[in-house]
Amino acid sequence: MVRIASGQGFWGDDLEAPVRQVRGGRIDYLMLDYLAEVTMSIMQKQRSRNPAAGYARDFAPLMERIFAACVERDIKVVTNAGGVNPAECARAVAEAGRRAGAGGRARIGVVVGDDLMDSLDELIASGHALEHMETGDPLATVRDRVRSANVYLGARPIVTALEGGAQVVVTGRSTDTALTYAAMVREFGWRWDAYDLLASGVVAGHINECGAQATGGNCSAEWWAIPELARVGFPIIEASPDGTFVVTKHDDTGGAVTLRTVKEQLLYEMGDPSTYITPDVTADFTTIRLSGSGRDRVRVHGIRGRAPTPFLKVSVAYSAGYKAVGTLVYAWPDAAEKARAAARILRERLDRLGLAFDRILVELVGWDSTHGHLAGDPPPDLPEVQLRVGVRSGDRGAVERFTREIAPLVLTGPPGVTGFAGGRPRVQEIVAYWPALIDRTVVEPRLAVDFVQV
Amino acid sequence: MPRVRLLELAHARSGDKGNTANVGLIPYDEEHYQILLQEVTADRVKKHFRCLVKGPVERFELDNLHALNFLLHEALDGGGTVSLMTDAQGKVFSTALLRMEIEVPEEVAARVRGQGRVPRPEARSDR
């Protein structure tokens, strides 16, 4: 049995969680997922300002704290912290390892080849249109604004790195699930056509990839009864060679592992559950069987999978204009009426200035910003409300001017207004996400694993 | 037949894929899955959300988990980094779905009334 622990569900997650996973009991693997669709766009922005940036900066300082323990107890660490710059990330981790006294005692495997940026024109010219998966538009329509293009990779290069003796495997845009099932493939020697086994690994990966979301965090089922979230235990997969596994967490940690917490995570970000597509296998989530197996233990079995598609998914980031969001707070009485009146005045001023926006969104935080019309009409005695106005435009100047039109409302609009001390809103460049598919035979020959000595 | 909120029958989690939000709907009691199957159709969910979901609503059934998955297309103002919405990642569409009311048999209504909310003394005295 192999114990694969989840230590991070996104870049910005609980920094102490991976440390608790290493110190709290036996684990064989620690997987750390740092990437979401928006994260790649953010990292790309950072690399464009600094060629040595573009990866999850939290990862190297974390490794400095746990590197020695991982070497001593032979805990393998698998992460996509590399973002759009895995080589620089690995370099930072090697330095952290040396500072932690692991110099000469470990090597880092770096998965490279997922970056398609330099061959994009060549690919488009040879007939790979990279159509947007939702809209069907060819990438050529935004080609001049593309900032990065990375392929979602499966577990094969991670397994190669582990077989090469890597203590730590750093990847770029690996799928979140691969970070978990690569360990199972490596440990159990599963074949790449053992689709039911690989699908089990994918389900285990889906449970691990969002950290505490599987162990009681963000759980809507009687959340008030979930104990001690302050020291919530992140999930651990106890995997067996036959593909069955148990979801659990370390003893003496908070949170809970129940049928409810696991079901909620299984459905998170789910599309068609019968067709969960990954680079290595298409898993069928309608075949999953769950059963309680003691306190904080859920057994998972029965999973079926089938051959993967001929395509890999590409995550393209492209520049899509500018946006800004401004806020003001209105107090009782008639808080909502005042906020709405202020929004009307603001809109009229923007019109008079002749500014063009692709979108203006007015929300009342404290009333309708999350449930829209389902919230009904605000009561006249609503104690307070935050007016939140967002604008989006291809014209940076228009968005810039918008940011200067919020504060004037304090002296030139409805009364009872405050909450402007944060200064003018910031103009943000929108680096948007363009999901596309590419023939896997184009990408697979490019993939490689480099090794960096600590 | 009496009406109850989905909140009283089920829990839910939502997330995003681009401009699409998904909501997984899970009954507290597996016996109530059949009621959800019958009452919480894609059509009714679309009507419930109205202009909050600009595209179609799709429903997928997970009989194995006694759960439903809904895809709410064009719900996130472009989604991800493009969206101006507070809930750009569709994190709380789950709770918006739980506002929906459905008809259930009297004995089910009596059993589930008050579920889904933090227990309060006054709620107990209602029973």
Side-chain angles (χ1 to χ4, degrees):
Chain A
M1 187 260 284
V2 177
R3 285 168 65 92
I4 307 161
S6 162
Q8 203 81 155
F10 70 105
W11 187 12
D13 205 352
D14 182 351
L15 292 169
E16 298 307 306
V19 180
R20 287 201 297 274
Q21 289 289 54
V22 168
R23 292 182 185 158
R26 180 198 145 196
I27 60 170
D28 304 301
Y29 285 81
L30 177 66
M31 63 74 66
L32 304 146
D33 175 23
Y34 284 98
L35 301 182
E37 288 176 358
V38 297
T39 324
M40 292 296 278
S41 306
I42 294 163
M43 288 172 164
Q44 178 44 42
K45 243 192 215 177
Q46 294 169 345
R47 191 180 66 176
S48 69
R49 291 189 203 117
N50 173 6
Y55 58 88
R57 286 187 310 271
D58 290 348
F59 180 56
L62 164 70
M63 284 310 299
E64 192 166 339
R65 295 174 67 190
I66 63 172
F67 215 125
C70 290
V71 169
E72 273 152 35
R73 291 162 49 200
D74 194 22
I75 298 167
K76 306 279 198 295
V77 180
V78 182
T79 181
N80 55 14
V84 298
N85 205 345
E88 283 297 328
C89 180
R91 194 199 313 256
V93 173
E95 280 170 20
R98 287 189 283 271
R99 283 196 298 272
R105 296 162 68 199
R107 61 201 309 227
I108 299 165
V110 191
V111 175
V112 295
D114 65 314
D115 189 342
L116 296 185
M117 193 59 189
D118 290 338
S119 43
L120 220 44
D121 290 320
E122 181 196 320
L123 287 169
I124 291 171
S126 59
H128 300 280
L130 297 168
E131 289 108 343
H132 192 290
M133 286 172 70
E134 287 183 29
T135 66
D137 296 332
L139 187 65
T141 56
V142 298
R143 172 64 190 95
D144 55 335
R145 292 185 276 140
V146 170
R147 298 294 175 77
S148 71
N150 297 78
V151 186
Y152 284 83
L153 303 181
R156 286 177 195 239
I158 301 173
V159 173
T160 303
L162 292 169
E163 284 170 350
Q167 192 74 49
V168 180
V169 183
V170 174
T171 78
R173 185 59 276 195
S174 281
T175 57
D176 307 345
T177 54
L179 305 175
T180 293
Y181 69 81
M184 295 152 89
V185 173
R186 157 75 175 141
E187 292 291 326
F188 304 139
W190 290 347
R191 291 162 47 117
W192 293 107
D193 60 358
Y195 297 124
D196 292 345
L197 296 175
L198 294 174
S200 299
V202 167
V203 173
H206 188 87
I207 291 169
N208 253 355
E209 75 183 38
C210 294
Q213 267 205 155
T215 53
N218 190 29
C219 181
S220 72
E222 299 180 349
W223 59 267
W224 56 88
I226 295 169
E228 296 198 73
L229 285 174
R231 51 189 200 98
V232 60
F234 274 42
I236 295 171
I237 301 293
E238 293 182 354
S240 298
D242 66 358
T244 63
F245 61 90
V246 169
V247 189
T248 186
K249 62 188 185 68
H250 280 318
D251 291 340
D252 193 31
T253 56
V257 181
T258 66
L259 293 174
R260 289 173 178 178
T261 67
V262 173
K263 279 187 191 178
E264 275 203 19
Q265 176 54 23
L266 283 173
L267 289 164
Y268 180 64
E269 289 183 347
M270 177 58 50
D272 174 350
S274 71
T275 307
Y276 187 105
I277 298 170
T278 78
D280 297 313
V281 64
T282 296
D284 182 351
F285 275 46
T286 69
T287 60
I288 299 169
R289 303 283 158 192
L290 299 181
S291 52
S293 175
R295 187 189 158 90
D296 290 323
R297 293 176 69 80
V298 169
R299 185 166 171 269
V300 187
H301 61 105
I303 298 152
R304 309 297 301 269
R306 53 190 188 273
T309 75
F311 304 104
L312 294 175
K313 191 168 164 184
V314 186
S315 153
V316 178
Y318 69 104
S319 174
Y322 303 88
K323 67 176 181 179
V325 173
T327 62
L328 290 171
V329 172
Y330 288 87
W332 181 94
D334 302 319
E337 287 79 0
K338 288 186 287 198
R340 283 179 178 153
R344 280 194 301 275
I345 293 164
L346 174 63
R347 274 176 178 273
E348 189 180 331
R349 287 180 183 161
L350 296 173
D351 276 348
R352 286 172 183 275
L353 287 165
L355 301 176
F357 297 100
D358 299 331
R359 176 103 167 106
I360 300 176
L361 179 69
V362 175
E363 295 178 327
L364 301 190
V365 179
W367 193 250
D368 69 358
S369 73
T370 54
H371 289 183
H373 67 83
L374 295 170
D377 292 325
D381 276 331
L382 189 66
E384 64 193 36
V385 75
Q386 183 185 55
L387 170 67
R388 182 179 183 277
V389 184
V391 299
R392 188 163 72 218
S393 173
D395 175 2
R396 188 182 178 113
V399 178
E400 196 80 61
R401 182 60 201 255
F402 160 81
T403 66
R404 291 152 197 262
E405 293 297 321
I406 303 295
L409 284 166
V410 174
L411 300 188
T412 63
V417 56
T418 184
F420 50 89
R424 285 177 179 153
R426 210 162 47 87
V427 177
Q428 286 179 276
E429 186 190 4
I430 300 170
V431 178
Y433 176 72
W434 180 289
L437 296 177
I438 193 162
D439 187 334
R440 64 168 64 225
T441 58
V442 175
V443 176
E444 282 170 348
R446 302 160 179 260
L447 303 180
V449 176
D450 296 335
F451 289 92
V452 177
Q453 192 63 44
V454 175
Chain B
M1 285 213 284
R3 296 174 74 79
V4 298
R5 276 188 160 160
L6 285 180
L7 176 72
E8 297 175 292
L9 277 175
H11 57 110
R13 174 169 296 172
S14 56
D16 67 318
K17 275 269 183 292
N19 198 17
T20 300
N22 96 294
V23 182
L25 185 68
I26 307 158
Y28 282 105
D29 184 339
E30 288 184 355
E31 282 175 24
H32 297 155
Y33 177 57
Q34 289 303 325
I35 298 176
L36 298 187
L37 263 181
Q38 201 180 318
E39 297 293 320
V40 194
T41 61
D43 236 27
R44 286 194 198 164
V45 170
K46 171 74 185 170
K47 286 199 181 86
H48 172 71
F49 279 110
R50 278 193 280 160
C51 53
L52 288 179
V53 177
K54 304 207 164 37
V57 169
E58 283 184 279
R59 184 180 95 167
F60 297 94
E61 293 148 23
L62 292 101
D63 295 344
N64 56 323
L65 302 179
H66 302 93
L68 297 173
N69 183 41
F70 294 91
L71 292 187
L72 316 176
H73 295 280
E74 296 169 56
L76 300 175
D77 186 35
T81 51
V82 176
S83 177
L84 298 175
M85 291 166 62
T86 295
D87 190 23
Q89 267 86 45
K91 295 284 184 192
V92 295
F93 272 76
S94 51
T95 57
L97 178 61
L98 292 178
R99 282 178 176 273
M100 188 174 149
E101 289 187 356
I102 59 169
E103 287 190 346
V104 298
E106 189 68 59
E107 63 274 18
V108 173
R111 248 173 58 211
V112 304
R113 195 146 285 146
Q115 251 187 172
R117 296 293 294 269
V118 175
R120 292 174 173 87
E122 58 270 37
R124 277 201 290 277
S125 66
D126 283 350
R127 287 193 185 163

